[in-house]
Amino acid sequence: MTIVERATPYLPRHSVRAPRRPLSPTVAFAGAALAFASLYLAAGAPTPLLVLFQRQWGFAPSMLTVAFAAYAFALIAALLVAGSLSDHVGRRPVLVGALLVELVSMVMFVFAPNLGWVIAARVVQGLATGAASSAFTAALVELAPPRYRRWGSLIGGVAPAGGLGLGALLTGAAVQFTHSANVIVFSTLTVIMALGAVVLYLSAETSAPRPGALGSLVPRVSVPRPARREFAAAVPVHLSAWMMAGLFMGLGPTIVRGVFHLDSGLLNGATAFLAPGAAAVAGVMTGRFHGRRATVLGSAGVLAGTVVVAAGIGAGLLPVVLLGAIVSGLGFGSAFGGALRLIAPHAQPHQRGGLFAAVFLVAYLSFGLPLIVAGQGVALLGLIPTILTYTTAAVLVAAAGLLTQLRLHRRDTTLPATA
């Protein structure tokens, strides 16, 4: 018998149990990345289903954008309230809790009997994703093993776009080739998220708790002073890139049916997939680029792709529209990932949650608000005039973002690299 056993024979057994051993950094990082991507797979999944629901339930076309944008606005609300909570209570409680809330939304989708339930499920989904987005982005940077360090920021930039696109594509295939797409898609996502929650629960905490958790719930945007120049410069870049992502995710199937008179679940999913899918590829390809170079190239790509999309809509040529989606998507991935790499070094670890919350706030306002306006514009002006007006606005914003980034690039040429 050991000395400890002699001295404390009366203690309950659990009081001397060894602490739980967390998962290895590599497993924890991989699990967190998969869980993060699954949030956006789920966010993109309803895009082809909404057209199917419209046929089944007979609601107005403008409600498609309302159903889609409900997610974005709920996400924004959660970002404002809980975006920096993980800086105070730690990453794990926020992430595990958010995934459990996301599981509730998956069940709501499976059993939704009407559009009201779908919109409610989108709201719950947006709340979960908003609470988790900034915490996940910070956790990926902190969980990444030393040899995979750059992958933390890279996945933070790639997963949102790639997940949205892949979710739409896989759901489109399920709509095309099965009779139970809704059940198949959301049941599968439920399993993935449950596994993600278990992995995160077993992972090490990466952010020490700090006072001020209740105060952090007061809605506000937190951008540390050293990061403000880069944050402001990236606003038009995010705005134009996420506007185009929103166009294809929210109105892609409507464009395919209304402009080109085609009705295919697979084509609807593929149309929604191209821009964010290309963004994920570009994010990986340009991950080794200096942040400024990636952002400049991406801004130019968004500008060029948006012009091509507008030309394709005006000429009635679907292949040209799809080409523009790919080009703008490549620009999106490069610009968003580059902007994250530029801004991340300007925040201390305890500030990252709030900073990334501010970034996602801009992104999802750009994703949802213009889409709501476009949905109402379709009813007033018609589909083609609305899309041309939308893309014209995106071109102007993209040009402003590109000029801003080029100016900063010239200023940076005499300074050492920071990203």
Side-chain angles (χ1 to χ4, degrees):
M1 185 174 290
T2 65
I3 294 175
V4 171
E5 288 173 326
R6 290 181 189 274
T8 59
Y10 55 90
L11 290 177
R13 186 169 182 175
H14 65 78
S15 65
V16 293
R17 185 187 306 167
R20 175 179 62 81
R21 188 170 186 174
L23 297 174
S24 72
T26 301
V27 173
F29 176 65
L34 179 61
F36 186 42
S38 73
L39 288 175
Y40 291 94
L41 283 169
T47 296
L49 286 171
L50 288 174
V51 177
L52 183 63
F53 293 154
Q54 184 185 12
R55 288 201 297 264
Q56 292 175 348
W57 298 332
F59 52 83
S62 61
M63 293 303 294
L64 288 171
T65 57
V66 173
F68 191 82
Y71 160 84
F73 290 119
L75 187 152
I76 289 167
L79 273 175
L80 287 172
V81 173
S84 60
L85 182 61
S86 72
D87 288 336
H88 298 275
V89 302
R91 312 295 184 211
R92 284 174 56 228
V94 173
L95 296 177
V96 172
L99 286 173
L100 294 178
V101 173
E102 182 81 12
L103 288 176
V104 173
S105 74
M106 297 298 97
V107 175
M108 292 174 70
F109 276 118
V110 170
F111 295 104
N114 53 49
L115 181 64
W117 273 83
V118 171
I119 293 176
R122 289 292 276 173
V123 170
V124 174
Q125 185 181 47
L127 293 173
T129 307
S133 290
S134 60
F136 257 124
T137 308
L140 287 169
V141 173
E142 295 157 359
L143 280 172
R147 64 183 181 278
Y148 299 131
R149 188 66 65 192
R150 75 179 185 89
W151 284 91
S153 294
L154 182 60
I155 292 172
V158 167
L164 285 170
L166 190 58
L169 179 63
L170 294 177
T171 303
V175 169
Q176 185 74 34
F177 300 115
T178 75
H179 297 290
S180 305
N182 190 45
V183 174
I184 291 171
V185 169
F186 291 110
S187 296
T188 302
L189 286 167
T190 297
V191 173
I192 294 173
M193 288 177 190
L195 291 174
V198 171
V199 169
L200 286 164
Y201 176 76
L202 296 175
S203 300
E205 178 58 71
T206 60
S207 179
R210 309 169 48 240
L214 289 178
S216 74
L217 298 179
V218 177
R220 63 177 176 269
V221 172
S222 175
V223 180
R225 184 177 298 275
R228 289 177 185 174
R229 186 192 77 164
E230 290 296 349
F231 180 84
V235 166
V237 174
H238 295 321
L239 176 56
S240 58
W242 284 87
M243 277 183 68
M244 293 308 294
L247 175 67
F248 285 100
M249 294 299 301
L251 284 175
T254 302
I255 292 171
V256 170
R257 292 179 66 195
V259 177
F260 302 105
H261 311 294
L262 299 171
D263 191 3
S264 163
L266 186 60
L267 181 58
N268 288 338
T271 302
F273 164 76
L274 284 176
V281 172
V284 174
M285 290 175 60
T286 61
R288 292 185 180 275
F289 289 9
H290 185 278
R292 184 73 64 206
R293 180 186 179 197
T295 306
V296 168
L297 290 174
S299 300
V302 171
L303 176 59
T306 305
V307 171
V308 174
V309 169
I313 293 291
L317 297 173
L318 180 59
V320 175
V321 174
L322 299 181
L323 174 63
I326 294 172
V327 174
S328 67
L330 290 171
F332 177 8
S334 179
F336 189 62
L340 283 181
R341 294 198 299 279
L342 285 170
I343 202 170
H346 297 291
Q348 299 299 316
H350 66 275
Q351 299 171 322
R352 286 178 185 147
L355 174 60
F356 289 131
V359 171
F360 280 103
L361 175 64
V362 172
Y364 277 93
L365 277 173
S366 307
F367 192 59
L369 188 57
L371 188 61
I372 286 286
V373 175
Q376 301 308 309
V378 169
L380 296 173
L381 305 175
L383 181 58
I384 292 179
T386 297
I387 300 305
L388 291 177
T389 301
Y390 189 102
T391 51
T392 299
V395 165
L396 295 175
V397 176
L402 177 59
L403 291 173
T404 300
Q405 292 297 320
L406 286 171
R407 178 175 56 81
L408 291 177
H409 176 67
R410 288 193 294 270
R411 182 184 298 180
D412 291 344
T413 52
T414 59
L415 298 176
T418 58

